[in-house]
Amino acid sequence: MSDPVDLRPNEQAVELEPASDATLRFIGTIRTPWRDRKDCPRQGNAEGPECQLVLDPVWHEGLKGLEDYDTIEVLYWLDQSRRDLIRQSPRSDGQTFGTFALRSPVRPNPIGTSMVKLVRVEQGTLIVRGLDCLDGTPLLDIKPDRCAFSPKAPDKSGGED
Ligand code: SAM
């Protein structure tokens, strides 16, 4: 539902029908040191604090092989975001940008992604560095940076193989 209050100068919200979302399945919970959005980094940093991706036990077997990767991609559900803004003012200065030109957590489907450093795996929990989300953020998915089955990027050098 659109929330007319709490808009910054020149921000714009839209009236939305009730969401008919595809049903997502959270696979676990992210544990971080941050309890308040203002304390979270805007983007994670590989030198940041260790955080935990705590997978629900039913998914533990799905981690097999992931320990071989140094960098993994994490997708998460920014569950405390409003979802109705189409123009936003990141600096609260009246200058606005379209939602899809930003990495703001405020978006129709508040999915966050981060490339993080995999420090270690401990019985269904991944210890990582490089996150930027609140403690308790629902975990959506984990992918290796690039796996053995990903096609190689085309050679753009123009040279011969
Ligand atoms: N790295 C992700 C991306 O680029 O898709 C997220 C970037 S977003 C700018 C990160 C910010 O989202 C944090 O600084 C915090 O203000 C906010 N945030 C973190 N966890 C959140 C949550 N669970 N719900 C809503 N907002 C959250």
Side-chain angles (χ1 to χ4, degrees), residues 37-38 40-44 76-81 103-105 111-114 132-134 137-138:
R37 268 180 279 187
K38 68 174 169 30
C40 290
R42 279 212 164 180
Q43 290 292 341
Y76 38 102
W77 189 251
L78 296 159
D79 58 338
Q80 296 190 27
S81 294
R103 294 198 68 102
S104 162
I111 295 171
T113 67
S114 287
D132 53 16
C133 62
L134 290 170
T137 294

Side-chain angles (χ1 to χ4, degrees), residues 81-155:
S81 294
R82 63 185 291 171
R83 302 172 65 174
D84 60 339
L85 293 193
I86 54 170
R87 292 188 72 89
Q88 302 180 43
S89 179
R91 297 191 195 95
S92 304
D93 61 357
Q95 185 186 13
T96 60
F97 298 85
T99 288
F100 306 117
L102 296 170
R103 294 198 68 102
S104 162
V106 175
R107 47 205 323 112
N109 296 302
I111 295 171
T113 67
S114 287
M115 300 300 294
V116 303
K117 181 173 161 36
L118 178 58
V119 179
R120 62 185 182 279
V121 183
E122 286 176 357
Q123 295 175 346
T125 294
L126 308 184
I127 316 300
V128 302
R129 290 184 191 272
L131 276 172
D132 53 16
C133 62
L134 290 170
D135 187 45
T137 294
L139 178 61
L140 286 176
D141 205 353
I142 299 165
K143 304 183 189 192
D145 177 16
R146 184 189 155 83
C147 79
F149 308 101
S150 303
K152 284 186 177 165
D155 178 9

